[in-house]
Amino acid sequence: MQTINLKQYYPFCKEDTFVEVSDEVVETFLLFKRAEAARERKMYRYKAHYSLDYGNGIENDAIGWAQPSAEEIVLEQTEQEEMMRRLYEAISHLTPKQTRRLHARYVLGMKIKDIAAMEGVHPSRIGHSIQGAIQSLRRYFERRKWTGSL
């Protein structure tokens, strides 16, 4: 057991507060302090001093708020349109039942048991049909060498 001063670790502690903690807690605090010091050294070494007054967008990149350019937006939209076109083309190769069940499950957001009750079949049949449809879609995309997010 070691004694630590909470004022060193917590900025909201205004006065010295000594607490006795286990060795694991001391080791964890030490690791965090080392990681923070390493980050500070790295920022200094690579001159990564960011100012919110500077207007070229570097501060947004630093904190992850980078706005996409108009070109990136258009490219993303065309990519999504191409993906949707390919997806509709792939779905057109499914059976009508698979298409209907896939639509009910993923577009309408229905549960498998609700689809089964609507069609009057056991839920396992619906689950197998949907899984078969997804496998068929994967095979379709693999045959055409297109890698999407399916």
Side-chain angles (χ1 to χ4, degrees):
M1 299 289 284
Q2 294 184 12
T3 303
I4 62 168
N5 187 358
L6 293 180
K7 186 178 178 182
Q8 292 178 335
Y9 298 102
Y10 297 106
F12 55 84
C13 287
K14 300 299 181 198
E15 54 189 44
D16 292 329
T17 306
F18 294 97
V19 177
E20 196 169 296
V21 295
S22 66
D23 294 333
E24 292 86 14
V25 173
V26 172
E27 184 67 28
T28 303
F29 278 134
L30 187 60
L31 287 174
F32 282 125
K33 243 186 183 180
R34 288 178 182 165
E36 185 177 359
R39 186 182 58 79
E40 292 289 331
R41 281 192 310 273
K42 191 175 183 181
M43 277 180 40
Y44 180 76
R45 182 181 307 131
Y46 295 111
K47 296 172 183 57
H49 303 285
Y50 302 113
S51 169
L52 296 178
D53 296 332
Y54 196 63
N56 71 351
I58 192 169
E59 69 277 359
N60 289 335
D61 291 338
I63 53 180
W65 292 347
Q67 297 293 326
S69 67
E71 182 183 4
E72 290 173 338
I73 292 171
V74 169
L75 286 175
E76 187 174 321
Q77 285 176 346
T78 57
E79 194 174 285
Q80 285 180 353
E81 288 170 0
E82 176 67 16
M83 181 182 70
M84 291 305 291
R85 186 189 64 75
R86 288 178 182 228
L87 185 60
Y88 285 131
E89 182 182 321
I91 288 175
S92 70
H93 288 85
L94 297 175
T95 65
K97 274 188 182 180
Q98 285 180 327
T99 303
R100 184 179 63 243
R101 291 171 177 173
L102 202 63
H103 181 267
R105 177 72 177 113
Y106 293 107
V107 176
L108 300 178
M110 294 176 67
K111 294 181 180 178
I112 290 178
K113 64 179 183 177
D114 296 335
I115 300 169
M118 183 177 68
E119 293 187 10
V121 295
H122 195 269
S124 66
R125 287 197 174 271
I126 302 295
H128 290 302
S129 176
I130 291 173
Q131 289 301 317
I134 292 172
Q135 288 175 358
S136 296
L137 291 174
R138 282 193 179 128
R139 281 193 303 268
Y140 179 86
F141 286 123
E142 286 171 1
R143 275 184 266 141
R144 278 145 184 84
K145 305 288 188 255
W146 184 74
T147 56
S149 59
L150 273 182

